[in-house]
Amino acid sequence: MSAPLTSLDRPNSYIGRSVPRPNAKRLLAGRGRYVSDLKLPRMLYAAFLRSPHAHAKIISIDIERARALEGVHLVATGADLAKICTPWTGTLDHFKGMTSSPQLPLPLDRVVWAGQAVVAVVAESRAIAEDALELIEVDYEDLPVVVDIDGAREAGGPLINPGSANNICFRSQLDNGTVDDAFAHAAHVVEEEFSFGRHTAVTLEPRAIVADYDPAAGMLTVHHATQTPYQFQDLYSRHYGIPEARVRVIATDIGGSFGMKLHVYHEDMAVVGLSILLGRPVKYVADRIESFVSDIHARDHRVRARMALDAKGEILAMDVLDLTAIGAFSTYPRTSVVEGNQVIRLIGAPYRFKNYRASLEVIFQNKVQTSQYRAVGHPIACAVTERLVDMAAAKVGLDPFAIRAQNVIADDAYPQTSPTGYRFEALSHQACLKRLHEMMDYDALRAEQAELRKRGVYRGIGIAAFVEITNPSPAFYGVGGARISSQDGAIVSLTPSGEVRCLISVTEQGQGTEAIISQIVADQLGLAQEHVKVVTGDTEVTPHGGATWACRGAGIGGETALRAARALKRNILEIAALILQEQPSALDIIDGEVVDAATRQQRLPIAEIARIAYFRSDTLPPGTQAQLTVGHHFAPQGYPFAFTNGIQGCSMEVDVETGFIKVLKHFIVEDCGRVINPMLVDEQLRGGIVQGLGAALFEECRYSETGQLVNGSLADYLVPMPMEMPDIVIAHVETPTADTELGAKGCGEAGTAAASACVLNAVNDALTPFGATINSIPITPAKVLKALKRF
Amino acid sequence: MKARAFSYFRAATIEQALDAHALVGDDARFIAGGQSLVPALSLRLQAPRLLIDITHIGELRGVRREGGFLRIGALTRHCEMLSEPLIAEFAPLLQAAAPFVAHPAIRNRGTFGGSVALADPASEFPAMTLALDAEIEIAGPSGSRRIKADDFFIDLFETALQPGELITAIYVPLFKADQRFAFDEMARRRGDYALVGCGMLATCAGDRINDIRISFFSVGNTPTRVKGAEATLIGSSLNSERIAAAQAALEGDLAPPENDEVPPAMRLHLARVLLGRLLGRLGESA
Ligand SMILES: Cc1cc2nc3c(=O)[nH]c(=O)nc-3n(C[C@H](O)[C@H](O)[C@H](O)COP(=O)(O)OP(=O)(O)OC[C@H]3O[C@@H](n4cnc5c(N)ncnc54)[C@H](O)[C@@H]3O)c2cc1C
C-alpha cells in the first residue's frame, strides 16, 4: 500500500480534504447554464407524437393539417429521417449470440412500446408544435402485446421482432467448480425466488438537446445534457455521415444523469436530423411525462437462487437463474444486457466459496428499453446474495454478522478471483464488518428490538455486504467493439499570470468532478485551489475520453489529472532551474512559489516564470523552448476493474397493522481507496443510499396488461423524499489501488448497491415473529400486509 | 407539455365573474389557486377558451364569525388554515387536516373553495366539510344559495355546483366545548394524496358520545361519511367493543374501487385500522 500522497498540514495539500465544490455557489445562485436555458438565434422547437399502443402496425400517417398550421416548419416521419440517418443496433461482440433489431430515429411501420415517438413536429414554439401534434392522424392496427416475462418466454406466443424465432435477446451461462456435488452434500440449502421492479432515474433536469447544423460550414454543434459528449460526437458523426472533426458536442451544466444520459434516445437522434433538414437550431426538452415513457428504465429482474452451506454455516455453492426483461430493443451503444451480466457476475462476490453456476436470460417485451442506471446490476446481485445469507444464518443458527464474518474473503487473502471470474486486487470486508458492528451499536440495537417486540413494536435490523465495480478498462465495452473510451485525457496549461487551466475529458453532472480535479491539480502543482480552473464537457476544447460512466471520474480522470499536473510541474521547474541556475530536482513549488526543495525558502513566483516564458523568451538560454502546456492521456492497466467494497446496515420499524415501513437509521462503511474529498464521497454515498432506498420502498414503473405505464408522473411514481429518509451514518476504510499513483477507486454506486438489500433483510428480520417473508422489491405496504395475511 | 392558448379575464366582483362565464359558457373556467387547474391545462387534459381569475374578488376572502358559523371565504388558502386564529379556535379539525394537504408551495396558493369545488375524493378538505356538517355558499346567475355538504358531493368530481356557479364561502358550525375531533391519514410519503384518510367530530357528555360525524377520503368516488359506523357509536361510551363494532360496520359503509396498487380489501383494512386508531385518540382526548 502506498504512503499518503500528501500530508494535510502542508499548504496546497488538497487530496483528502473536504473543500466545497467551486461550482456549487454558481448553481445555487441560479447561474447554472443548462441546455434548457439556451436560446440560439433562429432556434425552433421540436415535439413528438407518441404511440398510444404498446405494439401496433402503423397503417398510415396523415400530417397535412399539422404541416399547414401557422408557425410549423417541419413535420417529419420515420421515412424522412431514415433518408439521412443510418440505423443502429444495440449489440456488442463480447456478448456472444446477442441479437437486437436495427433502430431508426422514428419507426417506419411498427411501434413497439407505448410512448415511442412516431412523428416529429418542428415549430416556432413548443406550444405551437404541440398544437400541431393534435392535428396529426395515425392509423394503427393493434398487434399482440407482450408485457410480462412469462408471456415473453411462452413458446408459440407473440413475437416482438418479426423474423426472429423467439423473444430472447441474450443468454449467458457460468459454471465453475462442482455445483451439483456441493448441493448434494450440503448440510443446509436455502432457496428463494426474488423479483425486482422496473424503475427509472428521474433526474432533476430531464433530457435536453439543441442541435445546430450549419450547412454552410458543414458543421454540427449539439448542446446536449449528456454525461458522455465524446461518445455522442462519434455517433452523430457516423450515423449522419459528418466528419468527426465537424461535430461538436457541448455538455454544459447537467442536472443529474445517473447513467440515464449516456444512451442513444430516438428523439435525440431525430432532433439532430431535424436540424440538418432545416439548417436551423432545433431544441427538444423532454418533459416529465415524456421522460417516464422514453428515458431508459432499469432492473426488472426475476431471480431464482439457492445457496448450499455446510453444517457450520460455511457457504459451499450458489446456483442462480436470472430472467430480465429489457423492452423491445437492446439500447445503443452500451446494450441492455450489461445489467444481467453484472447480476450473475456479482452474486456472491464478498464470499469465499468456489462453486458457482448461473444462467442469464435477457428477454424482449413491449416496454421502453432498460439499460445502465446507477449501480448496474449491483442492487439485484447484492439483494439476492445477502438475503440468502440471512436465510442461511437463520437456518444454521448464526447471527447475521457472524455468518458474514465467517464467510467473507479475509482482508489478508488478496489477490483473489471470484467464482464468477472477477479478479480482486484488495478488499476490506473484515475491517468494514467490524467497523459497522461498532458503529451500529449492534448488540444494543438487538436488545432494544427484543424489548420493543414485547410491546408489539416490530423493529428490523438488516445488513448487506457489497462489492462495486469501478475504474473499468476496455474489458467493459471496448473489447465488444464499442467506440467507448476507458481512457481519459487532460491538458494543463500555465497561464501568463501563473494560474493553471485544466481541460479534461471527465464531465460534471453535479457530483463534483470539477472540484476533485482542481484539488488534484492544485495539490500536485503546489497551487492554491482557486488558481486552478477546470474546463469539462466540450469536444472541441477538451481531449477525447470516456467522460462519466461506471464510476471512473476520480479513479481514471483523477489519475489523468495527476499525471498531467506532474508533467507540467516538471516543465515549470525546468525553466525555473534555468532561470535560477539550479538543478530542477533541487526545486519544488509551494503555494505558487518556486522554493528550494530542501529549505522551502522562496525563490521565484511561478507567475514570474510564466511572464518570462511567454513574454521574454529572449532572456532564456538559447535553444530553450518552454513547454507550459502539457497533454496527457491515461488508460487503466493492470486489473481490468478496480473493485471496491463495503457494508451497509439499517434499522427500521414495520407497522404490522398498516404495512408502512419507517427507516430509522442507515449506516455504511465504504472502501473506495484513496478519498480525495471526504465531503463529496459522503454526498455520493448519501445520494446513492437514498436512490437505493427509493428502489427498496417506493419506486416502480407499473404497467397495465396492455403495456401502458400507469404511474408515469411524479404524482404517481414515488421518488424518495426527505421526510421519509433516515439519517445516514458514514465511515470509511481506505484501501488504495496500487494500479495508479492516486490510488482512488469509485464511490458513486456503492450507496445504491446495497441499500435495498439492507432494507429487504431488515423487513424480513422485523417480520420474523410472524413467520412472514418478503422477496420482492419495492416493498410496498400492500406486499407487507399480504405477507402478514392482513387482507 | 404546454397549455393550449386561452384568453384570460381578471374579475373584480362576483358579478363580473359570473357574467364572463355566462358569456362563454362551457369553454370557460374559474381559476383560483390554480394548483389543480394549471397542471390539467399543461397536460392538455383541459383546454378552456377563457380563464376567469377570481383571486382579486374581495368578497371571496376573509374568515369571520357569522351567527353560529364560521364563514370561511372561498379564497382562503390552505396555508391560512394553519395560521388563522379563528380557524384554530372554531374549526380546529380543518387546522388539523391542513398540514396533510400537499406541500408548502402548493398550500401557499391552493384555496379552500377550489378544493371543495373540485371535490377530489382523495382531498382532505372536502371530506372535512362532511364531518363538520358545513354548508357551502354558492353564487350563480339565478342568485345565491346555501347547500349542506351532505348534499353537495354527488359522484366522481361531480357536485351540486352547476356550470357557471361559484363557491363564495363555506360555513362551518362553531366548534363547541363539548366537542372533540381527530384527524389522520395514511400516505406513502408526507404530502401525498392518502391511501386512506379520516376526520371526525364528536359531541360528548363525559365519555358518552351524543353525536359523531366520521368522514373518509380516498375510499371511493366521493368523500364518504360512514353512517353505519357512526350509528354504532352514538349513544354509547367509547370502549374497545364499540370501536370494534364501528370498525366492523365499515364493510357496509365503504365500497373501495378496484385499484392495482391498493386492492379494495386492503383499503378497507386500512380504513378499519385508521378508524380504530382515531377513535382511540378521541377517547384519550376526553
Ligand atoms: C403536487 C400537488 C399535490 C397536491 N396534493 C394535495 C393533497 O394532498 N390534498 C389535497 O387536498 N389537494 C392536493 N393538491 C391540490 C390542491 O390542494 C389544490 O389547490 C386544490 O385541489 C384546488 O384548489 P385551487 O385553489 O388551486 O383550485 P384551482 O386549481 O384554481 O381550480 C380547481 C377547480 O376548481 C374550480 N374552482 C376553483 N375555485 C372555485 C370556486 N370558488 N368556485 C367554483 N369553482 C372553483 C376551478 O374552475 C377548477 O375547475 C395538490 C396539488 C398539487 C399540484
Side-chain angles (χ1 to χ4, degrees):
Chain A
M1 219 169 292
S2 45
L5 275 181
T6 58
S7 58
L8 282 177
D9 51 3
R10 242 185 49 188
N12 319 128
S13 297
Y14 292 105
I15 295 176
R17 197 189 289 266
S18 288
V19 291
R21 340 175 203 171
N23 55 10
K25 190 172 165 193
R26 186 172 61 79
L27 296 176
L28 270 177
R31 294 289 170 157
R33 274 185 41 139
Y34 297 89
V35 171
S36 59
D37 294 320
L38 201 65
K39 263 204 180 109
L40 298 181
R42 303 176 68 243
M43 188 168 83
L44 299 170
Y45 299 80
F48 292 89
L49 185 70
R50 293 177 182 279
S51 166
H53 304 280
H55 197 192
K57 219 191 254 176
I58 301 171
I59 304 295
S60 64
I61 302 177
D62 182 352
I63 57 172
E64 288 318 312
R65 287 205 306 147
R67 195 174 262 165
L69 188 73
E70 194 176 325
V72 170
H73 286 249
L74 179 67
V75 182
T77 62
D80 298 324
L81 289 165
K83 287 181 198 140
I84 55 169
C85 180
T86 58
W88 60 88
T89 305
T91 57
L92 286 173
D93 299 342
H94 61 315
F95 299 120
K96 299 248 172 332
M98 85 168 286
T99 64
S100 181
S101 295
Q103 302 174 57
L104 282 167
L106 299 173
L108 296 176
D109 51 11
R110 222 161 44 92
V111 289
V112 287
W113 85 87
Q116 182 176 7
V118 178
V119 186
V121 172
V122 187
E124 304 276 339
S125 72
R126 170 85 186 222
I128 294 173
E130 287 182 15
D131 287 345
L133 294 183
E134 295 183 7
L135 302 175
I136 297 172
E137 274 171 42
V138 183
D139 217 2
Y140 295 99
E141 185 185 306
D142 273 318
L143 292 169
V145 175
V146 179
V147 283
D148 65 285
I149 288 180
D150 293 326
R153 296 175 83 220
E154 222 167 79
L159 292 175
I160 289 162
N161 297 303
S164 52
N166 53 36
N167 292 320
I168 308 292
C169 167
F170 177 59
R171 282 200 180 104
S172 179
Q173 216 121 45
L174 295 171
D175 199 347
N176 288 317
T178 50
V179 173
D180 289 327
D181 195 52
F183 274 94
H185 296 103
H188 303 285
V189 172
V190 286
E191 177 164 6
E192 182 65 285
E193 181 167 295
F194 302 89
S195 71
F196 299 87
R198 264 184 174 239
H199 51 99
T200 186
V202 196
T203 52
L204 266 183
E205 179 211 27
R207 285 190 287 123
I209 185 168
V210 175
D212 182 7
Y213 182 69
D214 173 356
M219 171 91 199
L220 172 71
T221 305
V222 183
H223 305 265
H224 195 172
T226 175
Q227 52 194 100
T228 50
Y230 314 95
Q231 173 196 294
F232 283 104
Q233 178 189 30
D234 173 71
L235 294 172
Y236 297 145
S237 154
R238 285 188 298 119
H239 288 281
Y240 281 103
I242 305 169
E244 189 173 40
R246 292 190 187 278
V247 178
R248 176 182 188 185
V249 177
I250 304 171
T252 52
D253 288 323
I254 313 281
S257 53
F258 311 115
M260 187 276 283
K261 290 180 182 164
L262 46 65
H263 309 289
V264 167
Y265 290 97
H266 301 90
E267 297 88 348
D268 299 355
M269 269 295 203
V271 166
V272 170
L274 297 170
S275 176
I276 292 172
L277 290 173
L278 285 160
R280 288 176 70 162
V282 177
K283 179 183 218 170
Y284 170 70
V285 179
D287 64 39
R288 194 59 71 184
I289 302 287
E290 294 183 288
S291 296
F292 275 109
V293 295
S294 62
D295 289 359
I296 55 115
H297 293 176
R299 319 307 185 219
D300 204 352
H301 289 248
R302 200 163 76 203
V303 183
R304 176 157 275 288
R306 53 187 189 132
M307 179 182 274
L309 299 102
D310 73 10
K312 290 203 241 60
E314 185 81 23
I315 302 172
L316 302 174
M318 286 186 78
D319 185 7
V320 176
L321 168 66
D322 178 18
L323 303 177
T324 176
I326 57 159
F329 297 114
S330 167
T331 303
Y332 184 67
R334 290 164 193 257
T335 83
S336 303
V337 306
V338 174
E339 175 145 287
N341 197 50
Q342 288 192 180
V343 167
I344 61 167
R345 285 186 159 74
L346 277 167
I347 281 181
Y351 304 107
R352 209 172 34 222
F353 68 101
K354 290 289 168 227
N355 308 303
Y356 182 73
R357 182 164 57 209
S359 305
L360 167 69
E361 198 168 298
V362 181
I363 297 152
F364 293 120
Q365 62 185 164
N366 291 116
K367 293 182 186 171
V368 69
Q369 290 149 281
T370 68
S371 196
Q372 282 75 298
Y373 159 67
R374 195 175 199 169
V376 187
H378 292 66
I380 292 149
C382 182
V384 168
T385 309
E386 293 301 284
R387 175 70 188 126
L388 287 182
V389 169
D390 264 19
M391 288 167 69
K395 208 154 185 186
V396 183
L398 285 171
D399 179 86
F401 268 97
I403 193 169
R404 286 173 175 83
Q406 183 183 331
N407 280 285
V408 290
I409 302 170
D411 292 359
D412 60 7
Y414 292 93
Q416 281 274 345
T417 301
S418 80
T420 70
Y422 281 146
R423 284 165 56 213
F424 301 139
E425 178 193 4
L427 300 176
S428 57
H429 292 296
Q430 288 176 319
C432 290
L433 260 176
K434 186 161 171 292
R435 185 84 182 81
L436 181 73
H437 196 279
E438 297 158 5
M439 199 161 86
M440 289 177 85
D441 202 353
Y442 183 72
D443 298 331
L445 270 186
R446 284 282 177 213
E448 182 190 40
Q449 177 187 42
E451 199 47 48
L452 286 170
R453 261 185 204 173
K454 290 182 205 153
R455 291 195 262 135
V457 175
Y458 295 90
R459 292 260 170 102
I461 302 163
I463 61 174
F466 64 90
V467 166
E468 189 202 335
I469 305 172
T470 81
N471 294 5
S473 72
F476 212 106
Y477 292 114
V479 296
R483 298 169 65 87
I484 294 168
S485 191
S486 54
Q487 64 80 49
D488 276 300
I491 296 169
V492 284
S493 303
L494 187 67
T495 69
S497 34
E499 299 181 335
V500 166
R501 193 170 53 229
C502 174
L503 318 175
I504 190 158
S505 56
V506 286
T507 52
E508 167 77 57
Q509 289 81 45
Q511 74 276 55
T513 307
E514 290 178 355
I516 60 157
I517 297 299
S518 69
Q519 283 178 259
I520 293 165
V521 171
D523 186 287
Q524 294 300 304
L525 270 163
L527 290 177
Q529 195 192 356
E530 60 265 29
H531 291 159
V532 178
K533 169 88 194 291
V534 176
V535 178
T536 62
D538 183 345
T539 59
E540 197 128 303
V541 174
T542 49
H544 190 94
T548 303
W549 53 273
C551 266
R552 56 188 307 289
I556 301 174
E559 181 74 3
T560 312
L562 178 141
R563 295 188 183 201
R566 285 188 181 176
L568 178 62
K569 182 177 176 181
R570 273 197 302 278
N571 293 1
I572 293 171
L573 289 182
E574 236 168 62
I575 303 298
L578 289 174
I579 296 168
L580 296 168
Q581 304 200 330
E582 284 276 9
Q583 284 304 311
S585 60
L587 300 172
D588 198 357
I589 306 173
I590 294 178
D591 240 357
E593 298 276 344
V594 174
V595 299
D596 187 294
T599 65
R600 296 195 174 188
Q601 194 197 341
Q602 289 189 1
R603 302 293 301 272
L604 195 64
I606 60 168
E608 184 58 11
I609 296 166
R611 186 191 66 80
I612 293 169
Y614 286 121
F615 307 122
R616 292 302 308 273
S617 50
D618 57 315
T619 64
L620 291 172
T624 309
Q625 295 291 351
Q627 297 300 319
L628 298 183
T629 292
V630 165
H632 193 90
H633 287 270
F634 172 78
Q637 285 167 347
Y639 285 87
F641 308 99
F643 287 93
T644 74
N645 69 285
I647 183 159
Q648 298 189 20
C650 85
S651 148
M652 61 159 57
E653 195 166 304
V654 179
D655 182 333
V656 295
E657 293 295 314
T658 64
F660 278 57
I661 291 165
K662 183 167 177 51
V663 182
L664 301 168
K665 207 163 205 173
H666 202 94
F667 305 84
I668 181 168
V669 184
E670 206 268 332
D671 183 349
C672 61
R674 175 95 55 217
V675 173
I676 299 162
N677 184 327
M679 182 176 69
L680 289 180
V681 171
D682 288 1
E683 283 181 14
Q684 282 297 307
L685 296 178
R686 284 207 172 83
I689 286 169
V690 166
Q691 259 173 330
L693 294 177
L697 297 168
F698 297 108
E699 298 184 50
E700 181 169 25
C701 300
R702 300 201 321 275
Y703 280 83
S704 73
E705 281 169 15
T706 56
Q708 302 290 332
L709 181 65
V710 297
N711 63 335
S713 84
L714 279 178
D716 303 304
Y717 180 96
L718 308 183
V719 294
M721 306 243 271
M723 293 292 276
E724 285 69 39
M725 289 299 105
D727 282 349
I728 297 168
V729 188
I730 297 172
H732 300 283
V733 171
E734 287 190 62
T735 311
T737 169
D739 275 355
T740 62
E741 303 274 347
L742 186 61
K745 312 179 203 172
C747 67
E749 305 180 283
T752 311
S756 53
C758 231
V759 170
L760 183 68
N761 278 346
V763 172
N764 278 297
D765 182 50
L767 299 184
T768 312
F770 301 91
T773 59
I774 298 270
N775 56 4
S776 158
I777 277 171
I779 307 168
T780 59
K783 288 180 189 168
V784 174
L785 291 177
K786 261 256 141 46
L788 289 166
K789 303 196 172 58
R790 296 288 156 134
F791 74 92
Chain B
M1 287 178 73
K2 308 287 176 210
R4 235 187 268 166
F6 52 79
S7 305
Y8 170 90
F9 171 68
R10 179 188 284 172
T13 62
I14 293 175
E15 204 183 351
Q16 276 185 7
L18 296 177
D19 287 350
H21 204 296
L23 214 62
V24 176
D26 278 355
D27 263 354
R29 289 284 179 291
F30 298 121
I31 180 163
Q35 296 305 293
S36 294
L37 186 55
V38 171
L41 296 178
S42 294
L43 291 168
R44 296 194 174 208
L45 296 172
Q46 292 197 32
R49 263 200 304 139
L50 175 68
L51 286 192
I52 303 162
D53 184 350
I54 60 170
T55 57
H56 292 259
I57 303 175
E59 303 148 86
L60 304 183
R61 293 201 172 278
V63 179
R64 61 172 188 270
R65 282 179 71 167
E66 230 181 81
F69 290 90
L70 194 64
R71 181 191 190 274
I72 304 174
L75 287 177
T76 304
R77 292 174 295 141
H78 303 339
C79 59
E80 293 171 281
M81 293 288 187
L82 288 164
S83 60
E84 170 59 55
L86 284 173
I87 288 175
E89 190 175 353
F90 295 113
L93 180 57
L94 290 177
Q95 194 193 34
F100 294 87
V101 181
H103 307 277
I106 293 152
R107 293 200 291 266
N108 285 343
R109 283 183 177 270
T111 67
F112 192 29
S115 180
V116 172
L118 187 65
D120 187 325
S123 270
E124 288 81 359
F125 289 139
M128 293 314 99
T129 63
L130 285 178
L132 290 164
D133 197 13
E135 293 174 21
I136 292 141
E137 184 184 71
I138 297 170
S142 49
S144 182
R145 62 199 164 103
R146 255 162 86 162
I147 178 167
K148 286 248 182 205
D150 275 329
D151 302 320
F152 185 76
F153 303 103
I154 295 169
D155 207 337
L156 190 61
F157 296 113
E158 191 187 331
T159 65
L161 207 60
Q162 296 302 310
E165 286 188 329
L166 200 57
I167 295 180
T168 45
I170 288 107
Y171 286 77
V172 176
L174 298 178
F175 186 69
K176 295 179 210 60
D178 60 353
Q179 288 187 315
R180 297 182 211 161
F181 68 94
F183 177 94
D184 209 346
E185 67 178 46
M186 294 172 185
R188 296 290 306 279
R189 301 172 307 176
R190 183 71 189 218
D192 280 352
Y193 286 106
L195 302 186
V196 54
C198 178
M200 55 183 66
L201 182 71
T203 309
C204 308
D207 62 358
R208 195 187 121 95
I209 293 183
N210 284 338
D211 191 20
I212 188 164
R213 295 172 67 94
I214 304 172
S215 176
F216 276 88
F217 50 99
S218 278
V219 289
N221 282 350
T222 59
T224 308
R225 252 184 84 191
V226 287
K227 294 185 183 164
E230 289 172 3
T232 63
L233 297 162
I234 292 171
S236 40
S237 57
L238 260 186
N239 53 42
S240 53
E241 180 208 331
R242 284 293 90 203
I243 292 176
Q247 285 175 305
L250 286 184
E251 183 137 25
D253 286 326
L254 299 176
E258 275 305 327
N259 180 292
D260 73 318
E261 209 187 3
V262 189
M266 171 176 167
R267 216 183 283 272
L268 191 60
H269 166 79
L270 291 178
R272 279 195 213 104
V273 172
L274 183 59
L275 181 65
R277 289 181 181 180
L278 287 176
L279 288 173
R281 273 188 234 163
L282 204 67
E284 283 160 19
S285 67

